[in-house]
Amino acid sequence: MSAPTPATPPLPPTPSQTVGPFYGYALPFTGGGEVAPAGHPDTVTVHGYVYDGSGAPVPDALLEFWQADPDGGLAGAPGSIRRDPVTGAVIGRDGVAFTGFGRVPTDADGHYALRTLPPGGPAPYLAVCVFARGLMHHLFTRAYLVEADGGPEPADPLLAGLAPERRATLLARREPERHRSYRFDVRLQGEEETVFLDFS
């Protein structure tokens, strides 16, 4: 009688690849930062910079945004990345439907800008996914739209569970000099690193 064959040990997981920089060529699409329908009177701008651990702007990051509509609904609408049925070219949004999804690359200065409608709900926020060179995985965070410095913060369990200095990294503050503009910077590492969420 032969001896039993020992069980083969499980293979270790394949290591991750960094998420860039190819995403800068394949993922941006026409009108990716224009989530609000053209000419909508309630359009707001959310903009800022992506910074690395040493405080330098990241010129080739990519940010994705998902959000509720102004009534708090999460269904969204299809049509962010429409294609021409004849040529197959990406032609982007139809300019009418609110999809609740945006994808914006940073420019040479590390700046991005998203034009959208204010999300509804008791603690309105944008869900943000950050792609940047050197990251093994993309990062998830939130941008809560709040009034200028000194304004009340939303009553939200995630914010309530954070120390004030950490909570501040999730707040997109309205800029007093720009009536419908909010500033939200993303810091990938360092002293004021943005709070990132773990969905594992």
Side-chain angles (χ1 to χ4, degrees):
M1 186 170 160
S2 61
T5 305
T8 304
L11 296 173
T14 303
S16 297
Q17 301 281 335
T18 59
V19 298
F22 54 86
Y23 53 78
Y25 302 100
L27 295 181
F29 62 93
T30 303
E34 304 295 329
V35 180
H40 196 291
D42 297 330
T43 298
V44 298
T45 298
V46 179
H47 76 103
Y49 292 83
V50 177
Y51 296 105
D52 66 16
S54 62
V58 179
D60 55 359
L62 185 79
L63 293 87
E64 284 188 352
F65 298 88
W66 298 271
Q67 67 170 94
D69 64 28
D71 295 325
L74 295 173
S80 293
I81 313 175
R82 294 181 313 133
R83 292 188 176 272
D84 184 296
V86 176
T87 67
V90 175
I91 56 176
R93 305 175 196 283
D94 64 9
V96 177
F98 179 77
T99 65
F101 172 75
R103 184 183 289 156
V104 186
T106 55
D107 63 17
D109 297 320
H111 183 260
Y112 74 91
L114 177 81
R115 277 166 278 289
T116 188
L117 299 180
Y125 68 86
L126 308 176
V128 185
C129 181
V130 182
F131 299 79
R133 59 185 148 89
L135 295 178
M136 299 303 278
H137 297 282
H138 43 278
L139 303 172
F140 296 97
T141 189
R142 288 181 177 181
Y144 290 84
L145 303 188
V146 297
E147 292 305 306
D149 288 338
E153 295 177 3
D156 181 85
L158 173 62
L159 292 177
L162 298 170
E165 65 276 6
R166 301 297 293 137
R167 191 163 55 238
T169 70
L170 298 180
L171 302 180
R173 295 273 185 195
R174 189 174 64 79
E175 298 178 300
E177 67 278 11
R178 298 175 178 169
H179 176 59
R180 303 197 61 80
S181 180
Y182 294 80
R183 175 75 180 263
F184 182 71
D185 293 334
V186 176
R187 298 181 185 276
L188 299 176
Q189 291 180 313
E191 193 172 310
E192 298 177 354
E193 178 182 324
T194 299
V195 170
F196 295 109
L197 309 177
D198 183 2
F199 288 108
S200 59

